Amino acid sequence: MPDHEARLAALEEQLGHLTDACARRRLDEHAGHIDETVVDAFFLLVAAVGVFSMQQGFAMLEVGSCAKDHTKEILLKNIMDIGIGAVSWWIVGHAIANGDDGFRNSGVNGVFGTSGFGYINAATVGKPGFGGQAEWFFGLSFAATSATVVSGAIAERCNMIPYFLLACLLTSFVYPVVAHVAWHESGRLSAYRDERLAFGCGLLDFAGGGVVHLTGGVAALAAAWSVGPRDNKYTSRGDPVPMRQQSVVLQVLGTLTLWLGWFAFNGGSVLSASRAGIAAHACFTTTLSGAAACLSTGLFFYVTKRRVDPAAACNGILAGLVAITPGCATSNALGAVLTGLVAGPLYGASAHFVEYKLRIDDVCSAVSVHATCGMWGLIAAALFATPRYYDAAYETSRGDRCQGAFYGGAGNSLAVAIVFILLDAAWVALPVLGLFAVMKRTCGVRSDFGGRSSDSELDSSKHGDVLLPTSVKMPGSVELRAPAGSDDSILDGLAPAGGISEAKS
């Protein structure tokens, strides 16, 4: 009997091993049928949708930061950003950013792509098959973000035609060249190859703090300077005057929407589902930096002004998110926290300098959030990159040479960052200034009202909006009157068309 039990136990053990082996073989066979390009394309699509949804965050943030009577103006600009950006990116932008370039092999070009204009065929540029279209969509979401940054800086006074031309210029030419130089495997400053690297390392900008946000911030600075401030923004002595803001609720909701989209922005920059671990790390550092910047911004404004404005706290969060974007995959937790802690006060000091010293009217602090903190993000990435995360992010073994200066690096990555900042500032500012100089002499760059507060504003004159008076009477009912000094928005939409008669003042 004991012999039978021993044999039975041995047979059961063998059966278990065979069952496990069969299961593993079935899984291996199933995995062999999975097309990695399909999985990567789906990954990019999900990430692109997340980044694309940031447009609604920008819209809410900008509308909340502006006067109520400019709501339609802001929303129309944000909508047209997408329309103009998509067509421009389709015709020429994607080809310049991702088209063929022989710099990697020959040392020629390295600035722009030369194939895929019009993108008629999915296989003309980028990934083969329909995966290239996912890459196209992901690139579009980044290009549109760069252009939308400008809208918040020149709100309430910029004419539509110059703004639409600016959006076309940025998404079709200015941004694509920057993206090609920094990210294409043959771009002159790209880190995505192992030979002909700038300073032996290439630019450390994993998700676009410089390529996207610094580019948009510099364009915002040039545009805001060209258009000039809103009427009544500065006194005769040059002191800034607080301007009306519509809704702190929209500001906060817009910021939270952007923060959510930022996880797709930074995490999706790994470009492949097989690198989900790096994506998770990017989201981890993004969270830490945004949170740290929120706290340091609150402390900065409490110390300097003895109060904490929710709008400033929102911009502080965005400052931390912008700053961590270049090094989201290469910094560790401590580096991310330090990046955010510096970004908050840096945003506050920059906003004060822009408004009080430069006397540039930046409605949404786009220059300070995106340009200033974009520059800091590039420098921070070159300071806090660890060898381990650098090698994992760029799939290379040069981490010991290109690691951050605070971890023993020789400063190669820092040198490339400084060069890129200088080149990007010149490349973006000059065409924007040139465009607005031409527009000033032709159709004009300022709207009729230039940010004034009156009974008939930009919305009502340009976009068909009819603002209700503070007192309206419904047919056959009592008169509705808003309390003195209150926002008359509570009366909006109460009556059907033709059903309101204005009360005479």
Side-chain angles (χ1 to χ4, degrees):
M1 185 68 70
D3 292 339
H4 292 295
E5 291 179 354
R7 292 180 181 178
L8 182 59
L11 289 174
E12 289 178 348
E13 184 178 358
Q14 292 179 5
L15 181 61
H17 289 318
L18 289 173
T19 302
D20 292 341
C22 291
R24 285 195 298 270
R25 182 173 181 179
R26 285 196 298 269
L27 288 174
D28 292 340
E29 291 177 351
H30 181 67
H33 295 301
I34 297 176
D35 188 345
E36 290 187 3
T37 33
V38 173
V39 177
D40 289 345
F42 182 75
F43 176 86
L44 275 181
L45 286 175
V46 173
V49 169
V51 178
F52 196 85
S53 69
M54 293 173 71
Q55 295 295 326
Q56 65 193 31
F58 280 116
M60 286 190 286
L61 178 62
E62 293 172 22
V63 168
S65 301
C66 296
K68 173 191 169 184
D69 15 34
H70 292 272
T71 299
K72 281 194 173 182
E73 171 209 355
I74 300 300
L75 294 178
L76 179 60
K77 285 180 178 177
N78 278 268
I79 293 172
M80 294 302 292
D81 268 341
I82 300 172
I84 294 172
V87 174
S88 299
W89 186 252
W90 165 59
I91 295 175
V92 63
H94 180 65
I96 293 177
N98 298 307
D100 294 337
D101 180 357
F103 178 80
R104 180 174 186 174
N105 299 320
S106 65
V108 179
N109 193 355
V111 178
F112 53 85
T114 58
S115 64
F117 293 92
Y119 202 60
I120 303 301
N121 190 326
T124 56
V125 62
K127 295 182 178 181
F130 295 105
Q133 294 177 330
E135 185 182 66
W136 179 92
F137 182 33
F138 189 72
L140 166 64
S141 63
F142 275 58
T145 298
S146 183
T148 304
V149 168
V150 184
S151 175
I154 56 177
E156 298 192 34
R157 78 269 196 194
C158 183
N159 199 357
M160 287 292 177
I161 295 177
Y163 179 79
F164 293 157
L165 291 176
L166 175 60
C168 180
L169 176 67
L170 288 175
T171 53
S172 64
F173 185 61
V174 174
Y175 167 80
V177 169
V178 178
H180 186 92
V181 169
W183 283 341
H184 193 279
E185 62 179 9
S186 290
R188 283 191 175 265
L189 298 182
S190 175
Y192 291 96
R193 61 175 182 269
D194 293 320
E195 62 281 329
R196 299 183 189 273
L197 290 167
F199 294 92
C201 290
L203 178 66
L204 207 172
D205 185 8
F206 187 79
V211 175
V212 178
H213 295 283
L214 176 58
T215 297
V218 172
L221 176 63
W225 181 83
S226 299
V227 176
R230 291 167 286 180
D231 292 339
N232 303 321
K233 171 61 181 176
Y234 291 95
T235 65
S236 57
R237 297 170 52 187
D239 297 326
V241 177
M243 305 295 282
R244 295 184 304 160
Q245 294 186 345
Q246 178 175 174
S247 171
V248 69
V249 175
L250 287 176
Q251 292 175 4
V252 172
L253 291 177
T255 300
L256 294 177
T257 301
L258 287 171
W259 197 346
L260 181 63
W262 229 287
F263 296 126
F265 196 100
N266 288 357
S269 293
V270 302
L271 304 180
S272 173
S274 63
R275 307 182 69 207
I278 302 298
H281 178 71
C283 293
F284 170 65
T285 56
T286 299
T287 304
L288 290 178
S289 182
C294 177
L295 298 178
S296 64
T297 302
L299 179 62
F300 175 83
F301 278 89
Y302 181 78
V303 170
T304 57
K305 297 187 176 182
R306 309 306 299 176
R307 60 182 174 84
V308 181
D309 184 2
C314 288
N315 282 332
I317 293 172
L318 298 179
L321 297 175
V322 169
I324 194 58
T325 298
C328 61
T330 56
S331 298
N332 58 18
L334 179 60
V337 171
L338 292 176
T339 299
L341 287 176
V342 174
L346 184 62
Y347 143 70
S350 174
H352 180 87
F353 180 78
V354 169
E355 183 177 21
Y356 284 83
K357 302 301 181 181
L358 299 181
R359 291 187 172 86
I360 293 178
D361 184 12
D362 182 1
V363 180
C364 295
S365 296
V367 175
S368 300
V369 170
H370 297 277
T372 303
C373 292
M375 287 187 283
W376 161 240
L378 289 170
I379 294 173
L383 295 177
F384 300 127
T386 67
R388 174 193 174 195
Y389 286 123
Y390 186 98
D391 286 343
Y394 287 97
E395 297 181 297
T396 183
S397 58
R398 60 176 183 267
D400 290 336
R401 181 175 74 245
C402 301
Q403 62 187 325
F406 287 172
Y407 287 89
N412 303 52
S413 296
L414 184 60
V416 184
I418 294 173
V419 169
F420 175 84
I421 290 171
L422 296 175
L423 291 177
D424 188 68
W427 168 252
V428 177
L430 290 177
V432 174
L433 292 173
L435 172 65
F436 276 88
V438 173
M439 291 294 99
K440 282 182 179 179
R441 289 163 175 77
T442 53
C443 64
V445 297
R446 292 181 64 87
S447 61
D448 296 339
F449 298 102
R452 290 196 298 267
S453 299
S454 63
D455 292 333
S456 180
E457 290 282 0
L458 193 66
D459 269 3
S460 58
S461 63
K462 299 290 186 181
H463 311 301
D465 185 32
V466 179
L467 296 180
L468 293 179
T470 56
S471 175
V472 297
K473 182 177 290 185
M474 305 290 289
S477 65
V478 297
E479 183 182 50
L480 298 175
R481 182 179 296 275
S486 67
D487 185 358
D488 61 351
S489 62
I490 58 174
L491 300 178
D492 288 356
L494 289 179
I500 296 179
S501 60
E502 296 190 13
K504 296 181 179 180
S505 56

